[in-house]
Amino acid sequence: MSITIKTPDEIEKMRVAGRLAAEVLDYIEPFVKPGVTTGELDRLCHDYMVNVQQAIPAPLNYAPPGYAPYPKSICTSINHQVCHGIPGEKALKKGDIFNLDITVIKDGYHGDTSRMFIVGGDGSILAKRLCQVTLECLWLGISVVKPGARLGDIGQVIQKHAEGNGFSVVREFCGHGIGAKFHEEPQVLHYGKAGTGPELQAGMTFTIEPMINAGKAAISELPDGWTIVTKDRSLSAQWEHTLLVTETGVEVLTLSDGCPPAPAITVPAIR
Ligand code: MF3
Ligand code: CO
Ligand code: CO
């Protein structure tokens, strides 16, 4: 298998799916408040995707090899949870940092995006800095995407920025090719060396989704078989966009009106 190049028709479907995924996050943001349970957020997002968007929540019953089917429609990861947290009866508290990861399927194509929220609008200095640096890592990665660049270029800028700020990069999970399949080639590592790895070509679609820990990089999996946490229980943050490599650079497919803009640190590099 190799990296698929999407046709113009497929790209148009990816644009639609990407925007819908981002719009689920816009829709749910006002509900992300102290006291709400992650299960309530799951029900609201599920109903919005299915009834308003006529889209399919990709996580529901998703079962990669070696995994039990994922039981919910979104992923909700709080504080030291890195990714793939399963919605349930847990209520959000003021000052929690919270990742909501949304993947929709529309017309056979996937859009995948996640954002961080600081519950109640304010958190610790560390929590805010971790969320901001991780957003900068995502956009620094995006800023180097263009035909002829290599995947290692993305990994290097992310690793340098995370570690330069005293944080660490999770190694076991990465960005991924995406299209008619949820996860396809290539693997997009969030660490590495510039000039290494596959060369990017116009028509490739993949995600960048750095998971950055305030403490050490090591992770463990909870007995539910899905939820990933930091081994040292330090805070972890993640942001994700789905991208298209264009003839001249990059198009972010998961933008929406409510999507936080690219941080100032990365703007000069974006084409
Ligand atoms: N959305 C996640 C990603 O960015 C994958 C979640 S798989 C699930 O790749 F089954 F947990 F939903
Ligand atoms: Co993804
Ligand atoms: Co995702």
Side-chain angles (χ1 to χ4, degrees):
M1 272 302 291
S2 55
I3 306 174
T4 61
I5 301 297
K6 270 67 179 182
T7 64
D9 181 57
E10 289 179 293
I11 288 169
E12 203 38 55
K13 291 177 177 172
M14 295 287 295
R15 286 195 178 103
V16 173
R19 169 167 284 272
L20 290 176
E23 286 176 352
V24 177
L25 289 169
D26 292 358
Y27 160 74
I28 202 65
E29 175 163 14
F31 297 96
V32 179
K33 285 195 179 136
V36 75
T37 68
T38 51
E40 282 161 10
L41 298 175
D42 177 70
R43 278 190 291 282
L44 287 164
C45 289
H46 177 94
D47 290 349
Y48 190 78
M49 289 184 259
V50 170
N51 299 326
V52 177
Q53 298 185 328
Q54 272 93 46
I56 299 168
L60 189 59
N61 297 315
Y62 182 61
Y67 284 82
Y70 188 79
K72 297 288 178 180
S73 296
I74 66 175
C75 296
T76 53
S77 304
I78 306 172
N79 293 337
H80 66 290
Q81 297 178 343
V82 174
C83 62
H84 306 165
I86 301 176
E89 295 319 303
K90 199 176 170 60
L92 299 180
K93 299 188 310 297
K94 186 172 187 320
D96 283 344
I97 64 168
F98 178 54
N99 178 272
L100 244 156
D101 194 342
I102 301 290
T103 313
V104 306
I105 310 171
K106 182 71 171 182
D107 213 356
Y109 285 80
H110 291 73
D112 189 7
T113 184
S114 84
R115 295 182 198 159
M116 293 304 294
F117 300 90
I118 302 186
V119 178
D122 200 25
S124 69
I125 305 259
L126 174 66
K128 287 189 278 194
R129 197 167 68 83
L130 178 66
C131 293
Q132 179 63 23
V133 167
T134 305
L135 181 64
E136 290 167 358
C137 284
L138 168 61
W139 279 96
L140 282 167
I142 293 171
S143 73
V144 301
V145 174
K146 61 178 179 184
R150 290 178 179 272
L151 280 178
D153 302 354
I154 300 171
Q156 173 163 311
V157 290
I158 292 172
Q159 182 177 11
K160 182 167 175 252
H161 192 60
E163 293 178 356
N165 280 280
F167 299 143
S168 64
V169 178
V170 171
R171 300 298 201 268
E172 290 84 350
F173 296 89
C174 56
H176 49 92
I178 182 168
K181 292 210 220 130
F182 194 162
H183 295 102
E184 56 185 44
E185 285 188 47
Q187 294 197 23
V188 182
L189 304 184
H190 303 117
Y191 60 93
K193 285 233 172 319
T196 66
E199 191 176 301
L200 303 183
Q201 282 176 46
M204 290 180 177
T205 50
F206 57 85
T207 71
I208 301 179
E209 50 182 294
M211 284 143 273
I212 306 298
N213 298 346
K216 297 212 169 78
I219 51 132
S220 19
E221 188 184 284
L222 296 190
D224 65 21
W226 280 100
T227 308
I228 303 300
V229 298
T230 56
K231 209 165 209 159
D232 62 9
R233 299 296 190 263
S234 65
L235 292 177
S236 186
Q238 178 178 34
W239 294 82
E240 175 176 27
H241 275 308
T242 299
L243 311 169
L244 165 71
V245 184
T246 65
E247 297 294 338
T248 52
V250 63
E251 180 178 331
V252 182
L253 300 178
T254 38
L255 297 178
S256 62
D257 292 343
C259 174
I265 180 177
T266 60
V267 165
I270 299 277
R271 291 159 304 276

